[in-house]
Amino acid sequence: PGQYMPWLRLQKLAGEMRLLVALSALGIVHSGAQLWTLALLLPLWGTHQAVRYGVFRLHSGDASRALAELDSLQTILLNLHKQSNRARRELQASQEETNLLEEMTRYLTTRPDLGRALEHVLGVAQRLGHFESLAIFQIGPEGLQPVLCRGPLQGRVNNAGLLKLSEPLALAAFHSGQPQLLRQDDATRIFAGETAALAVPLAHFGVIYAGRARHFLAEKECRGLMWMASRAGPLLEGIHRHYQRDQELSQSRQHS
């Protein structure tokens, strides 16, 4: 019976690995079949072929080495299975983010009043990351001014003019037309003390700011905020123009 033990062990390992190959392949296929996830199928296929080769080598009298290789390959396959599960979770989170932004787009295209539109945009931004402060700056006759804020520094925002405070990060983002990450804190900043911060242009309407006092912003948070701003900016600009036209029409009726 002892001579059959390597064979039985190999058959058990081969069966387990074939099952993991199938589960991992199904996980990858159901994760969205994007190009980078499809690349995982190549090592899975190679692992499956290695299983077949291990069986062949056992018949050739090299059972111990075949079993050692199968142990190693089983570890690799388990890691691949974990990667496919992680990829599926990331794709699910990405889909939830996409649905959130599509919902925002649908809402803004209904042309709500500007105040409600700004509140909605900040609400979406809050769900895209763990930010302590969020603010929208709007360009106007007096330059770039904060018009809506959430967070512990709202008092500084409301009294920015009186305290002679500004937010250079928001100004840099608006004038460059590019997202700006904070590189140096300053006591004269509106959001002084928030050492992790990002400002993203909202087309020609203004800028959205997001920050917190500690920990760097994650790449996912920055990417989500930039994607949201690229959608919300033109829509806010259109809502603002519509609001201005309504005001002009109302004034002209009053003077006629």
Side-chain angles (χ1 to χ4, degrees), residues 237-254:
E237 197 175 349
I239 291 170
H240 181 55
R241 283 199 301 265
H242 184 73
Y243 172 75
Q244 286 181 316
R245 283 196 298 268
D246 284 350
Q247 276 194 323
E248 291 170 0
L249 286 173
S250 177
Q251 289 174 357
S252 63
R253 290 194 191 99
Q254 288 177 359

Side-chain angles (χ1 to χ4, degrees), residues 124-137:
V124 171
Q126 188 70 66
R127 295 171 64 181
L128 292 173
H130 300 287
F131 308 117
E132 292 178 9
S133 293
L134 284 165
I136 292 179
F137 291 75

Side-chain angles (χ1 to χ4, degrees), residues 51-66:
V51 172
R52 296 180 60 189
Y53 179 62
V55 175
F56 172 77
R57 291 191 62 182
L58 180 64
H59 287 296
S60 301
D62 199 2
S64 60
R65 186 173 179 182

